[in-house]
């Protein structure tokens, strides 16, 4: 196996072109799921490179919807250089224990961490990769910029392991139909972001090292 791409959910990988030299792993949402799922795979596989790919919230005002951010800070430890598409923003991605819902939460996290974007899995993937001495990068696409709130507080619909409780979410939408339109609009943004992620990830993996 030459490279391993880890996605938290299947929606993130829908525009990625699977190729023979790359293994795709859907880990589940959150640090616990990502870390455990990756650790199990690495008991039998040893990829040359691990990429934690997926959605992220923007913390840096420069990052807009659909923009890509690459955190390759770990590569220097292995003497590697990754030449990605020119459109990539090179910066710091912070992993939080919960979804950042409001602009206030994002601004507070930006001040605390000095990060450019936030996800929930990259740090766990990085920790496992380091323990196996495998180079790792995080490649994320912005779904909600720093000044935009999410249509729902998704944290209330997640279990302790980070998985979404879709039954609870469905009940909430039935009781609060006014929130449906906002969620539909957000799904459109997720689709656009997934397209950008797939295109840039394809370019990154097709570019000779």
């Amino acid at each position: 196996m030459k490279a391993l791409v880890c996605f938290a959910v299947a929606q993130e990988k829908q525009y990625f072109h699977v190729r023979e030299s790359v293994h795709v792993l859907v880990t589940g949402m959150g640090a616990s799921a990502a870390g455990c799922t990756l650790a199990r795979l690495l008991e039998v596989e040893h990829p040359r490179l691990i990429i934690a790919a997926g959605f992220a919230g923007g913390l840096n005002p420069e990052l807009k919807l659909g923009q890509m951010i690459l955190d390759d800070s770990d590569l220097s430890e292995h003497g590697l250089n990754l030449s990605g598409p020119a459109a990539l923003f090179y910066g710091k991605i912070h992993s939080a224990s919960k979804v950042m819902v409001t602009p206030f939460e994002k601004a507070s996290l930006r001040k605390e961490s000095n990060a450019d974007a936030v996800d929930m899995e990259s740090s766990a993937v990085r920790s496992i990769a380091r323990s196996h001495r495998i180079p790792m990068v995080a490649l994320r696409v912005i779904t909600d910029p720093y000044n935009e709130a999410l249509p729902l507080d998704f944290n209330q619909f997640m279990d302790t392991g980070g998985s979404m409780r879709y039954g609870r979410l469905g009940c909430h939408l039935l009781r609060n139909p006014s929130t449906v339109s906002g969620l539909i609009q957000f799904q459109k943004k997720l689709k656009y972001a997934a397209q950008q992620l797939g295109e840039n990830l394809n370019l990154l993996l097709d570019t000779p090292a």
Side-chain angles (χ1 to χ4, degrees):
M1 186 192 304
K2 294 183 179 180
L4 171 66
V5 183
C6 298
F7 299 95
V9 296
Q11 187 178 16
E12 294 171 329
K13 72 178 183 68
Q14 60 182 319
Y15 295 100
F16 174 62
H17 300 153
V18 178
R19 63 266 286 154
E20 187 176 348
S21 62
V22 179
H23 186 90
V24 172
L25 180 68
V26 178
T27 64
M29 293 176 61
S32 177
C36 291
T37 305
L38 177 59
R40 286 196 298 268
L41 179 71
L42 295 184
E43 291 176 359
V44 295
E45 300 284 358
H46 191 84
R48 180 177 62 87
L49 172 70
I50 296 176
I51 302 175
F55 299 147
L59 302 180
N60 187 329
E62 293 183 35
L63 296 174
K64 309 303 180 184
L65 171 65
Q67 194 161 355
M68 303 298 306
I69 175 171
L70 179 71
D71 186 338
D72 63 351
S73 55
D74 276 18
L75 288 189
S76 59
E77 299 178 9
H78 301 270
L80 297 178
N81 178 41
L82 192 64
S83 299
L88 292 183
F89 180 97
Y90 289 77
K92 179 181 177 181
I93 300 174
H94 175 85
S95 292
S97 59
K98 67 174 187 175
V99 179
M100 297 291 109
V101 179
T102 68
F104 177 79
E105 289 177 319
K106 296 176 189 177
S108 297
L109 183 59
R110 166 80 166 167
K111 184 176 181 180
E112 174 187 333
S113 66
N114 197 35
D116 299 290
V118 57
D119 66 12
M120 296 177 66
E121 298 84 23
S122 291
S123 289
V125 173
R126 179 177 291 109
S127 178
I128 298 297
R130 283 178 174 173
S131 69
H132 287 77
R133 298 182 181 179
I134 301 173
M136 174 269 180
V137 297
L139 178 67
R140 296 282 169 168
V141 61
I142 302 301
T143 58
D144 48 300
Y146 80 104
N147 59 346
E148 291 186 10
L150 296 178
L152 290 173
D153 180 357
F154 293 104
N155 295 293
Q156 61 183 311
F157 308 113
M158 298 171 67
D159 61 23
T160 55
S163 297
M164 189 67 67
R165 293 178 173 176
Y166 290 102
R168 180 179 293 184
L169 174 60
C171 290
H172 175 83
L173 295 177
L174 287 174
R175 293 194 300 267
N176 302 273
S178 61
T179 61
V180 173
S181 60
L183 193 59
I184 291 174
Q185 292 301 314
F186 185 59
Q187 282 297 323
K188 292 180 180 179
K189 293 180 179 180
L190 291 182
K191 181 178 180 180
Y192 172 72
Q195 290 174 327
Q196 298 303 307
L197 176 63
E199 290 176 6
N200 282 275
L201 188 53
N202 290 328
L203 285 172
L204 187 67
L205 291 173
D206 289 338
T207 300

